[in-house]
Structure formats: C-alpha cells, structure tokens
Amino acid sequence: MSIKNAAAIVGVGDVELEEGKVKDGLSVLQIQAIAAKRALDDAGLTKSDVDGLFVAGLWGVPGVGTFPSVVMGEYLGIEPNYTDSTQIGGSSFEAHIGHAAAAIQAGLCEVALILYGSTQKSERSRSLAGRPPTFTAQYETPFGLPSPAGAYAMAANRHMHQYGTTNEDLAEIAVATRKWAQLNPYATKRDTISIEDVLQSPMITDPLHILDCCLVTDGAGAVVLVSPERAKDCRKKPVWILGQGEAHSHWSIQAMPDLTMTSAAQSGKRAFEMAGVGHDDIDFVEIYDSFTITVLLTLESLGFCKRGEGGDFVKNQRTAPGGDFPMNTNGGGLSYAHPGMYGIFLIIEAVRQLRGECGERQVKEAKIGLVNGTGGTLSSTSVVILGRD
Amino acid sequence: MDKIMKPLPIIDNDSKFFWEGCEKEKLFIQQCQSCSLHIFYPRILCPHCGEENVTWVEASGEGTIYSYTIARRAGGPAFKEDLPYCVALIDLKEGVRMMTNIIDTDMEAIHCNQQVKVVFQKVGEMTLPMFTPV
Ligand SMILES: [Zn+2]
C-alpha cells in the first residue's frame, strides 16, 4: 500500500541559535514548545487541532530517551489519539513522516505534530566516549573507538581502499556545504573554507579531519503534517509526501554488512517507487551529513551515481550553490547546525525550498526534493520525497 | 589522581563463555548446527536461519583487516594515554567480523586486507582479543 499524497506538510518551525547555542538558557522543553508554536502558526493551526504526536529525543523524563511524546504532550497540553516515539537516531523524523502519513491515511489522526529538541551544546554533554559496555556494545566499547566518528572513519577507509576515493573528494563536500551556509543567515559556521583548509584541519580519527565532521550544536524543530482535506484550510500551500521508505541493516558497526553501502539503497528504492519519480526529476537533495563520508555513501546508495563513483560525482563543487546538483542547501550538519539527531532540519529546509522561502539560497524552480536521514553508525536510514502542486 | 579505568565488558548470559575463553587465551565463536554458519557476537538464536541450535567452536584466530581507523582523539578519557591507537574490524577465516585493536606494529603501515592473528591482552581484570600483523 502506498502513502503517496496521503498527507501534506503545512507547517514548519525552528529556533534561532547563537554560536550554536539556544538563547537565554532556554531548556529542551521550552525550545520544543517554541518550535511547535511556530510550526502551528505557520500552518494557521493551534495546539487543539493536533491529534497525532511524534517525538524522539536524546533527553527524557525520567531518563534519557524515555517517554518523549508523553512528556511533550503534557507540557504542550496535547492529548493525542495517535502517539509515536520511534527512535532510530538521526533518521527518526523521516520515519515519523511515513508513520504519520500512514496514520492519517488510515483515519487514525488528521493533524500530526513532529518534534525534536536538544541542548547538547549548552549542556556540554557530547564526547567521543563510546556507549556503556553492556549487551552488544560490550564487544566494541572496550577497544576505544571514538564514537561515532571512528565508525564513519572505518567506512571511509574501506571506500578509499576499494574505489580509490580521496580525502580531497570528501573535502569537496565540506567546502560546497559551507558555501550554502554562507547564504543562510542562521547558519552557525559561515567563514570561507577551502579544500586545503579541510585537509589541514586536525585529524580526529583517520581519515576524517575535524572539518569532515558535523558541528555540535543545540537546536529544535517542528513539522506539522495534515490530511488532504485539512490542508485546504491551512495558511501555507501544501508540500506533499510523494514517497517514503525506511530501513536498518545493523546497529554496531561491526555488524554492518558492507561498509561502503547504507540501507538507503532499500529505503531510497521504496521511496522512489512510491513517488513514481526518477533521479532526474529531483531538483535538490537534503542528505544527512553527520560526516562527509555519510553523504558520499548515501549518494551512491540512493543511486545518484554508481558504486565507487561518489568521489567523481561531487568533484568541482558540483553540489555547491550554482552547481547542477543542489545539496544541503541550508549549510547542513557540517555548517548550519547539528543538535545530535539532525533529521528534522533536513525536512524543514526541503519544505522551505519547495515553498520558495529561502531567499539568497533559494533553488530556482524547486518542485521535487529528496530528504534522507541516517542514524546510529550508518545503521538506520529513511528517505522522503516531497513535492509541491 | 587515580588512573581512569578503561570500560570493560559487562558480562551477560550471551557473552560469559566468550570472555571466559579469552581468559584462557582461546577465541571462541558460535556455529549454528542447523545452517552451519558461524556467528559473532554470541547470541541465543542463529541470526542467519533463526534456529536455536548454536554451539561454541574455537576459531582459528586468523583473519584480515576489513577496515580500520587510527584514533588521534581518544574514545573516552581512559584511552588518552594510548594515542594514537588503531581500532579495526577483522574478518576471521570462519566468516565473522569483530572489532578489536591492532597492536605491536607500525600504526602508519596498517592497511585494509592485511593479514593478522589474535593475541590476548590483559586489560584490568579481563583479557581482550587483540590482533597483530603476521
Ligand atoms: Zn543457522
């Protein structure tokens, strides 16, 4: 069964950052509430319209990861008919889009609110330390892999070994993404960088330099998804869900079947088939960029180029402003913001592009966009294809 | 100040036999008696065919480096004094993959597909399987 055109995004909201931090010491609950209010205002709806609530996070009451939709429901005064706290890392929100569209199609809810927030930068809670050495992590954590960068570094080394991909190829992505950030007044990092700057930046874990790695910031985002019927009365023009897919292939990096290919090969295929569009129909992409290598592997896995040809594909700043493959148009996790689980911000940017709200960074004639989320250590993926009337 | 202790495996019912084997300097992995495929990490059901019929076998301890990284920043404070160090994924001859450290070698010469063998290394109260080039 397909969820094509079963629901439309009619509202998005986020919060401003200063040097990667939320203003005035706002809490993780406050910033989600602000983002939610802005997304509902954007749609011309109020919290009393919301009957489906989708929240995933790295915070929780009583502890990390617990009860996020329940806590936010209480905080916002929402008692939903439909609730979902699917937590598959950075790709959670692309999965929420699919789940919400299916619930709307089934008549289980009409107005879904998807929410995320993190104050990891303000709390200085992020480190390279591994997971507690329990259960399946007991076979990994004792070996000191910088987490999660080391897992992505191993994927990069394998890709380099198999296909001759270079650090310069990866740096192309970091530089192109920074150029988009320079067109986005809300981006955290906006100073100019060159390929040489990336190669000269400190090595974190071979072959990934610090400029191959995403930022560590705070952030909050919200997305409102409604039925076609409700979309008629909303303030903003609808952005339609044309296709969606989700998949995961492993959790621990040692269990990843092939370090050069992510499960976006499956989730992407399902999304393309559902949407009934081809690669040439896509006007821009928002690809999860936890690391430069994440992007390269995902472009290949989604079939935008052949396996092993990702390096050639991104050469000569092809994905930068003015290039023929607009990618990560807000400046990405590499230069805009990366509050732990970045996936919701990819959706927000795609919606703004499709509405033509992006000012200097607007992709001309943007009609169809592809969003890919990736979570864990290349573990989970979800792909959404969005389009406007 | 006290030395920061490295995170050591928290043994459970899946892993007890594996870590006890390491203590005796033997590398045990599982093999499914239904589909005959090898299994790592250890578990109660075969992830290949789903059957319960899994037994322990001693592995050759020989394999190749599938991929690796040299950590220049530590994966936690306890690993700082080891910098730079190599974390790798080894494909054992038996067809399973495991994470480890590559030790007793020139870090800069480590490469994919390099042949390695297991060496057991005492860390705190436990013995971990690490690998070194042959
Ligand atoms: Zn089996």
Side-chain angles (χ1 to χ4, degrees):
Chain A
M1 185 145 162
S2 169
I3 53 168
K4 184 177 182 180
N5 292 325
I9 298 173
V10 291
V12 293
D14 52 10
V15 299
E16 300 80 11
L17 303 177
E18 279 173 352
E19 291 175 1
K21 292 182 189 175
V22 292
K23 292 177 183 172
D24 308 322
L26 291 168
S27 80
V28 72
L29 302 185
Q30 290 178 309
I31 57 175
Q32 289 180 89
I34 293 168
K37 180 78 167 75
R38 288 178 179 175
L40 288 166
D41 286 347
D42 191 40
L45 297 170
T46 70
K47 68 110 175 163
S48 59
D49 293 305
V50 177
D51 58 0
L53 189 56
F54 296 71
V55 191
L58 297 167
W59 59 277
V61 181
V64 171
T66 49
F67 294 92
S69 63
V70 179
V71 176
M72 286 315 299
E74 178 187 272
Y75 191 91
L76 295 168
I78 293 171
E79 295 181 25
N81 302 336
Y82 196 91
T83 182
D84 184 338
S85 287
T86 298
Q87 167 39 307
I88 52 169
S91 62
S92 298
F93 314 96
E94 285 73 21
H96 292 172
I97 291 278
H99 302 180
I104 287 168
Q105 186 174 49
L108 301 174
C109 63
E110 280 186 333
V111 177
L113 173 65
I114 304 172
L115 261 185
Y116 177 70
S118 168
T119 50
Q120 63 167 13
K121 169 95 170 169
S122 296
E123 291 163 21
R124 306 171 66 94
S125 59
R126 198 66 197 236
S127 83
L128 289 171
R131 307 169 179 123
T134 59
F135 299 118
T136 61
Q138 70 182 291
Y139 313 101
E140 293 201 349
T141 305
F143 301 104
L145 185 71
S147 178
Y152 287 81
M154 290 200 279
N157 262 339
R158 186 68 199 180
H159 201 276
M160 288 174 169
H161 169 79
Q162 275 182 220
Y163 300 116
T165 304
T166 65
N167 272 112
E168 285 80 356
D169 295 336
L170 296 180
E172 289 274 0
I173 295 168
V175 172
T177 308
R178 180 60 60 89
K179 289 178 186 166
W180 284 109
Q182 290 178 310
L183 302 178
N184 180 1
Y186 296 105
T188 300
K189 292 280 185 191
R190 303 186 67 205
D191 48 318
T192 302
I193 56 168
S194 65
I195 303 258
E196 200 52 31
D197 291 333
V198 180
L199 302 182
Q200 294 304 318
S201 68
M203 191 69 91
I204 301 295
T205 183
D206 297 19
L208 299 180
H209 298 82
I210 197 159
L211 288 176
D212 288 299
C213 304
C214 65
L215 308 174
V216 174
T217 71
D218 298 340
V223 174
V224 179
L225 200 69
V226 300
S227 63
E229 195 54 36
R230 295 297 294 260
K232 289 177 190 161
D233 303 324
C234 287
R235 185 174 290 155
K236 290 282 174 74
K237 284 189 180 152
V239 168
W240 296 99
I241 313 304
L242 301 182
Q244 187 266 353
E246 60 199 54
H248 43 77
S249 50
H250 63 282
W251 172 218
S252 334
I253 192 67
Q254 66 180 348
M256 186 167 180
D258 178 344
L259 258 64
T260 66
M261 168 147 289
T262 79
S263 65
Q266 288 82 43
S267 55
K269 186 166 183 284
R270 287 193 274 273
F272 272 112
E273 283 173 3
M274 190 183 291
V277 301
H279 292 80
D280 291 342
D281 298 317
I282 305 292
D283 298 312
F284 67 96
V285 297
E286 308 294 342
I287 304 281
Y288 203 104
D289 57 346
S290 45
F291 300 91
T292 49
I293 185 66
T294 320
V295 177
L296 194 122
L297 297 184
T298 303
L299 288 171
E300 292 181 13
S301 301
L302 288 172
F304 282 103
C305 59
K306 289 194 183 125
R307 295 191 67 175
E309 293 182 359
D312 282 339
F313 188 83
V314 299
K315 264 200 174 61
N316 302 315
Q317 293 297 287
R318 184 175 182 194
T319 69
D324 72 354
F325 193 83
M327 179 176 82
N328 297 350
T329 51
N330 60 353
L334 292 168
S335 290
Y336 161 63
H338 195 287
M341 288 158 55
Y342 173 66
I344 200 164
F345 303 95
L346 299 159
I347 301 165
I348 292 170
E349 173 66 7
V351 168
R352 288 176 173 155
Q353 285 288 349
L354 290 167
R355 288 173 172 177
E357 296 176 345
C358 286
E360 263 197 287
R361 68 179 193 279
Q362 181 63 46
V363 175
K364 293 210 171 52
E365 312 259 328
K367 289 197 182 87
I368 299 181
L370 180 144
V371 176
N372 145 271
T374 303
T377 48
L378 295 162
S379 314
S380 64
T381 62
S382 181
V383 175
V384 180
I385 297 175
L386 297 170
R388 64 172 162 89
D389 286 324
Chain B
M1 206 176 89
D2 286 343
K3 193 169 169 311
I4 302 163
M5 300 302 286
K6 284 189 173 151
L8 288 174
I10 294 171
I11 297 171
D12 60 29
N13 211 41
D14 269 331
S15 67
K16 190 164 183 285
F17 192 89
F18 174 76
W19 294 117
E20 283 174 356
C22 289
E23 210 59 50
K24 296 172 204 144
E25 307 212 339
K26 288 181 186 299
L27 187 67
F28 284 105
I29 58 175
Q30 288 174 316
Q31 186 173 24
C32 176
Q33 298 306 298
S34 298
C35 72
S36 79
L37 290 171
H38 289 91
I39 302 162
F40 187 82
Y41 50 85
R43 48 199 105 173
I44 200 164
L45 293 175
C46 172
H48 307 293
C49 72
E51 292 301 321
E52 295 172 272
N53 204 1
V54 291
T55 56
W56 290 97
V57 293
E58 189 177 352
S60 62
E62 294 168 27
T64 55
I65 296 176
Y66 175 64
S67 196
Y68 69 98
T69 185
I70 312 291
R72 310 285 171 180
R73 303 271 180 95
F79 294 94
K80 257 187 191 158
E81 62 181 29
D82 297 343
L83 288 172
Y85 59 92
C86 178
V87 187
L89 296 174
I90 307 302
D91 281 343
L92 290 183
K93 268 187 174 170
E94 290 80 7
V96 298
R97 187 172 294 162
M98 61 190 295
M99 189 179 288
T100 189
N101 295 126
I102 306 296
I103 58 169
D104 301 330
T105 189
D106 173 12
M107 286 291 136
E108 306 305 322
I110 293 169
H111 56 270
C112 291
N113 292 359
Q114 194 173 4
Q115 293 198 9
V116 291
K117 67 172 197 303
V118 72
V119 285
F120 290 92
Q121 196 77 5
K122 198 104 181 128
V123 179
E125 296 295 293
M126 289 186 71
T127 303
L128 303 185
M130 297 192 182
F131 285 75
T132 194
V134 291

